[in-house]
Amino acid sequence: EAQVTQNPRYLITVTGKKLTVTCSQNMNHEYMSWYRQDPGLGLRQIYYSMNVEVTDKGDVPEGYKVSRKEKRNFPLILESPSPNQTSLYFCASSPRLPPYEQYFGPGTRLTVT
Amino acid sequence: SQQGEEDPQALSIQEGENATMNCSYKTSINNLQWYRQNSGRGLVHLILIRSNEREKHSGRLRVTLDTSKKSSSLLITASRAADTASYFCATGESNFGNEKLTFGTGTRLTIIP
């Protein structure tokens, strides 16, 4: 089944403890992206990647890192999480550039205390 | 920066009625897309309209795009309870090799049985 998977789905952590949210797609898509969703602010793009080893900042990249070593995986890394990074995170992929229809993962709900 | 702004923020209608949502944006775009999100879940792509198109249909969905006014509308005809969800517009931009998809804040649609 064609899909985008994210793990974990739910995570509660403490300030400063490094964490990684994994994202994987099995559709051989070139474009992948991370978003965070907050009430009243909609979805905001954190980072995106147009292909392996090609990543760029979105609108809210501060406090996040990404890597794209393989086409299928695009992990999101929080080196030192803070409470303002409590949010719902979505990974998405798209088969073509510029980004056409995007396929979203199920989301990761992160709480930083 | 937020590109798309949906209007209204929330809409409640009776089942069977038509629902119209609007999206305005600020800069030149390659395409405009509409997505649906059921509560807390990942977004699902509904329809994409390119910048050189004016209208597009998909089942009960009709999307219009007016690039001179930088606006789009999504019409859902003969609404059903299952259409209850949040709807987001997203604008695809291509700028000096940077490919971005920017989402609006969404319209919360409630269909009253």
Side-chain angles (χ1 to χ4, degrees), chain B:
Chain B
S1 60
Q2 215 68 39
Q3 167 78 307
E5 295 290 335
E6 286 92 340
D7 172 61
Q9 292 187 349
L11 178 63
S12 292
I13 61 172
Q14 294 291 136
E15 191 169 17
E17 293 180 340
N18 296 341
T20 300
M21 289 159 269
N22 302 297
C23 170
S24 60
Y25 58 92
K26 296 175 184 154
T27 63
S28 296
I29 60 172
N30 290 317
N31 63 69
L32 188 143
Q33 304 173 38
W34 285 91
Y35 288 79
R36 183 187 72 231
Q37 183 184 33
N38 291 95
S39 182
R41 295 189 156 187
L43 279 72
V44 175
H45 181 262
L46 295 176
I47 196 164
L48 178 151
I49 186 165
R50 290 181 169 78
S51 58
N52 61 355
E53 297 176 311
R54 292 297 167 259
E55 188 171 313
K56 205 160 183 180
H57 297 255
S58 176
R60 292 184 297 114
L61 306 180
R62 173 178 168 254
V63 169
T64 62
L65 178 64
D66 186 335
T67 53
S68 67
K69 295 181 179 177
K70 291 187 169 56
S71 68
S72 173
S73 67
L74 170 67
L75 169 67
I76 303 174
T77 60
S79 63
R80 305 167 182 169
D83 294 329
T84 293
S86 291
Y87 292 82
F88 295 86
C89 69
T91 51
E93 306 163 51
S94 181
N95 184 20
F96 301 106
N98 292 324
E99 316 293 346
K100 289 184 58 177
L101 193 64
T102 305
F103 285 80
T105 52
T107 292
R108 175 69 191 168
L109 175 64
T110 302
I111 307 301
I112 303 165

Side-chain angles (χ1 to χ4, degrees), chain A residues 40-89:
Chain A
L41 297 176
L43 274 84
R44 293 178 293 168
Q45 190 174 49
I46 304 171
Y47 270 94
Y48 63 98
S49 169
M50 292 194 283
N51 213 326
V52 174
E53 302 292 359
V54 180
T55 63
D56 207 345
K57 297 177 181 178
D59 296 318
V60 288
E62 294 77 22
Y64 304 94
K65 285 175 59 177
V66 293
S67 67
R68 186 94 181 272
K69 294 184 170 60
E70 305 166 284
K71 199 171 187 178
R72 63 183 293 133
N73 296 323
F74 191 45
L76 179 70
I77 303 157
L78 285 72
E79 294 271 2
S80 183
S82 62
N84 64 14
Q85 292 178 298
T86 292
S87 187
L88 180 59
Y89 291 87

Side-chain angles (χ1 to χ4, degrees), chain A residues 9 53 90 113:
Chain A
R9 295 289 314 281
E53 302 292 359
F90 290 101
T113 61

